[in-house]
Amino acid sequence: SKEANELISAIIENSADYCAVLSLSGNPITQNSTTPVMRKAYLKLSMKVHPDKNKSNKDAKSAFQFLVAAFDRLSQPDMFADEKEPQQAGPRKKKEIFKRGNEGCYKTRIDCPRCYMTWGKAELGLEDASYNFFMSGLKQYVCGRCACLFGCMTAIHYCPHCNQPYEYSADDYHKQIYCGSTSGRCAKHPKKFGFWYYNVSQRRYDEVRAEVKLEQEKRMKAAAAQNRRRQRASVRTQASSVDEEAKQGEVLFVKGLVDGCPRCGEVIRPFKREYAEEHLALCNDKKLHAKYRLEKAKEKNRKEEKQSLEEKQNEMMVEKQWEMNGRQVGQLWMLTLGILRRKCVEAGLTEEKHINEMEKTQLITILGAHLRKKVLQIMDKAGTTPSSVDADITGISNVDAEDLPENLWSMDKEELQAVCASYNIKFETDEGKETLISRLERARFKGSQLLLQDNSDEQKKRKKKEKIEDAKDDDFHADEKVISSSKSNLSAHENKKRRVIIDSDSD
């Protein structure tokens, strides 16, 4: 369309000004805008300038890449801060502790999303650095009152100036932002604020890195088990109509397995089968039934919204944990399907309409190949690896043991295939767990037997001496066998003589 072509031209013309590119959405974007606001602008523009929707325009792909670059650099400026500073060639080290000052920063108020209790008080017994881990999206914590597990995206955040709630993203932790409130003190006189940063030792940082990795592995195993149960249930049960579901609900209500009436929602106390049957016989108010159906639909929507928010929270945590571990290509198996799809689309590796048809191992394979090629091109070009490269391509034989899965035998076949694909290990789709694990072990310990061999002169002399001693022992044992055999022959001859003498005397 004409509007899309104009937007594509405008993005290419302003490609060097990232704020101007995102501001083409109609909302003015600055470096101090929150990440959710930037994301909304990015999504609004990407829907109009995506190459799949503008196949006739040759500049659509370039414009889309400029748009992605603008969003990445504004939402995650710390990733590109030292882009021009070279690093020594070789495998990237794990991400070190990020240090900064606290000028204009506050320890903001955070409330539990269920009971609205303020989180982070002294009586909860949390370390100071827990605020860092929570706000950066690395860990979730439990409410001290209602035991609700929540993270930075599901929590309720309040502005330190106007005390109004605002939308928070983990990408905003190392930035100073405006709350964007339309009421209160900040509506007329907006003020920037940052988030407090507590100093953390390298030892504690490494401990948290190991903790979050184990927690993510547990979540992945739980999700895999839930998917298996869901698949088994879908095989056993067949899709039923609305009338069949209503009849089934009435049967459960009569048996006392459901609290409320499936028609009007009324709860019978005390419960008796006769009371339930009588209630169903008299429950014929259609207006009441329609009202209850509407309430159920609203409740279902609330649950879906809550589940969607929890999924976003989980995806954000997984991605932050992956970044914390140095963005290792070998740990792509820990990323969720949604993150892998998004990264493949952003990198232009596949079209968005085909992305949902691809399996996790396929996405890992193409994304891993892209990241390895990107790093190797930079290394060949400059002879060094810039610290801003967003991937660590270290192979499975050189990574630390803590970066590998804790227990390969507790993983599913699909998870093992994802691990193989992450480390670029070839496998067949019909191979079992034992074969996949043996492939991983062979790749992990390839050539390690050579390290156990000692080819020094002293070692050779010692082995030669041991052989000579073994030969002497063999000769000694052979002599013993000859002597013992001769002795046995003599004793047998003497016994024969004695038998002959005894027989002659008896005669």
Side-chain angles (χ1 to χ4, degrees):
S1 64
K2 184 178 180 181
E3 182 184 1
N5 292 333
E6 291 176 354
L7 274 176
I8 290 170
S9 302
I11 290 173
I12 293 175
E13 289 175 3
N14 298 280
S15 59
D17 189 348
Y18 307 128
C19 295
V21 169
L22 292 183
S23 297
L24 292 172
S25 63
N27 297 325
I29 302 296
T30 64
Q31 293 182 349
N32 298 320
S33 300
T34 62
T35 303
V37 174
M38 295 179 186
R39 186 177 291 109
K40 289 178 182 177
Y42 162 73
L43 293 174
K44 185 176 180 180
L45 289 171
S46 63
M47 290 177 64
K48 295 182 178 180
V49 303
H50 198 279
D52 292 344
K53 296 184 178 181
N54 299 276
K55 295 182 179 180
S56 59
N57 194 325
K58 298 180 180 180
D59 298 329
K61 187 174 181 180
S62 300
F64 184 71
Q65 291 175 348
F66 287 137
L67 177 62
V68 172
F71 173 69
D72 287 343
R73 291 172 182 268
L74 287 176
S75 61
Q76 298 178 332
D78 56 306
M79 287 179 56
F80 305 92
D82 51 354
E83 189 174 27
K84 297 181 181 179
E85 297 181 9
Q87 219 182 30
Q88 188 175 358
R92 178 211 293 277
K93 295 180 180 179
K94 292 179 184 177
K95 190 174 181 181
E96 297 180 352
I97 298 177
F98 181 83
K99 295 182 179 180
R100 61 170 173 82
N102 286 317
E103 185 178 356
C105 297
Y106 302 84
K107 184 178 180 181
T108 55
R109 175 186 162 191
I110 304 167
D111 284 1
C112 169
R114 182 187 292 172
C115 68
Y116 306 105
M117 176 184 177
T118 302
W119 176 83
K121 291 183 177 180
E123 55 264 27
L124 294 178
L126 297 173
E127 58 179 328
D128 291 338
S130 60
Y131 183 79
N132 298 18
F133 306 140
F134 182 86
M135 296 295 285
S136 58
L138 292 175
K139 296 188 72 176
Q140 292 178 310
Y141 288 89
V142 177
C143 175
R145 178 187 292 168
C146 66
C148 172
L149 181 67
F150 61 96
C152 64
M153 287 188 68
T154 52
I156 304 173
H157 298 264
Y158 292 90
C159 172
H161 298 307
C162 65
N163 203 30
Q164 294 294 322
Y166 65 95
E167 191 174 359
Y168 176 79
S169 173
D171 295 329
D172 296 335
Y173 181 51
H174 296 301
K175 296 164 57 178
Q176 293 205 356
I177 63 171
Y178 295 103
C179 68
S181 176
T182 56
S183 60
R185 197 179 304 171
C186 289
K188 296 181 179 179
H189 305 287
K191 290 184 180 180
K192 286 195 301 184
F193 64 94
F195 304 94
W196 196 266
Y197 179 84
Y198 291 95
N199 291 325
V200 187
S201 65
Q202 185 66 45
R203 179 180 178 182
R204 179 57 184 153
Y205 191 78
D206 293 338
E207 289 175 353
V208 171
R209 178 186 289 153
E211 288 174 8
V212 296
K213 178 179 175 293
L214 291 178
E215 289 174 1
Q216 173 58 14
E217 288 191 34
K218 290 179 181 177
R219 284 195 294 269
M220 290 181 68
K221 290 176 184 177
Q226 187 176 7
N227 288 333
R228 289 195 300 271
R229 290 194 296 269
R230 190 181 294 113
Q231 290 174 0
R232 289 196 297 267
S234 63
V235 172
R236 290 194 300 264
T237 59
Q238 298 179 353
S240 57
S241 62
V242 178
D243 294 336
E244 291 178 354
E245 289 181 359
K247 291 178 180 178
Q248 187 178 6
E250 292 176 4
V251 172
L252 295 175
F253 174 64
V254 171
K255 292 182 177 180
L257 300 176
V258 177
D259 290 334
C261 171
R263 298 178 185 174
C264 64
E266 183 179 347
V267 179
I268 298 177
R269 291 288 184 272
F271 177 81
K272 285 187 178 181
R273 186 184 183 94
E274 295 80 11
Y275 296 165
E277 292 175 349
E278 183 181 356
H279 174 82
L280 287 176
L282 299 175
C283 187
N284 299 316
D285 191 344
K286 294 184 178 180
K287 290 184 179 180
L288 192 61
H289 296 175
K291 183 180 179 181
Y292 179 63
R293 285 196 298 269
L294 183 61
E295 291 176 356
K296 285 180 66 178
K298 290 180 180 179
E299 182 65 24
K300 184 180 179 180
N301 291 335
R302 283 194 294 268
K303 287 182 179 179
E304 289 177 353
E305 290 176 0
K306 183 180 178 182
Q307 185 177 0
S308 176
L309 189 59
E310 289 176 353
E311 289 176 356
K312 289 181 181 178
Q313 167 77 43
N314 183 43
E315 286 195 357
M316 182 270 300
M317 280 182 57
V318 171
E319 191 168 7
K320 291 298 178 183
Q321 290 164 9
W322 182 65
E323 293 175 359
M324 184 185 189
N325 279 328
R327 304 180 186 90
Q328 300 181 44
V329 176
Q331 288 189 345
L332 287 175
W333 61 274
M334 298 187 70
L335 299 182
T336 61
L337 201 58
I339 297 175
L340 292 170
R341 287 171 177 168
R342 174 168 55 81
K343 288 188 174 295
C344 287
V345 171
E346 289 177 354
L349 301 176
T350 182
E351 295 182 1
E352 194 169 1
K353 60 182 179 181
H354 300 309
I355 197 71
N356 294 328
E357 301 174 1
M358 301 181 70
E359 297 180 355
K360 186 174 182 179
T361 51
Q362 294 176 309
L363 295 171
I364 291 174
T365 301
I366 61 174
L367 182 59
H370 168 73
L371 294 175
R372 290 186 183 94
K373 183 179 179 181
K374 182 179 178 182
V375 174
L376 292 174
Q377 283 177 347
I378 295 174
M379 291 173 66
D380 293 340
K381 193 174 183 180
T384 57
T385 304
S387 58
S388 63
V389 174
D390 57 348
D392 178 359
I393 61 172
T394 307
I396 190 173
S397 59
N398 296 321
V399 296
D400 299 332
E402 62 186 18
D403 296 327
L404 297 170
E406 184 186 17
N407 186 356
L408 292 174
W409 289 101
S410 65
M411 302 178 74
D412 291 339
K413 176 183 173 181
E414 291 76 13
E415 292 175 324
L416 291 170
Q417 289 177 348
V419 177
C420 289
S422 301
Y423 285 107
N424 199 22
I425 299 172
K426 295 182 179 179
F427 63 92
E428 300 294 336
T429 55
D430 57 347
E431 290 178 344
K433 283 181 60 174
E434 188 173 353
T435 307
L436 292 170
I437 291 173
S438 64
R439 285 184 180 275
L440 289 167
E441 289 177 345
R442 283 198 300 270
R444 171 66 173 167
F445 300 108
K446 182 179 180 181
S448 60
Q449 293 84 353
L450 300 175
L451 301 176
L452 301 177
Q453 296 178 359
D454 187 1
N455 295 322
S456 61
D457 295 336
E458 294 181 359
Q459 180 72 3
K460 291 178 180 179
K461 290 179 181 178
R462 186 174 64 82
K463 288 184 176 181
K464 188 176 181 180
K465 187 177 179 181
E466 288 177 354
K467 289 181 179 180
I468 294 171
E469 290 177 353
D470 291 341
K472 288 181 179 180
D473 291 339
D474 293 339
D475 295 340
F476 176 75
H477 292 310
D479 294 340
E480 281 187 340
K481 289 179 181 178
V482 171
I483 294 170
S484 60
S485 63
S486 62
K487 286 182 178 179
S488 61
N489 291 334
L490 287 172
S491 60
H493 183 67
E494 289 177 355
N495 290 333
K496 187 176 181 181
K497 282 183 177 181
R498 286 174 184 172
R499 283 198 298 273
V500 171
I501 293 168
I502 292 169
D503 292 338
S504 61
D505 292 341
S506 61
D507 293 338

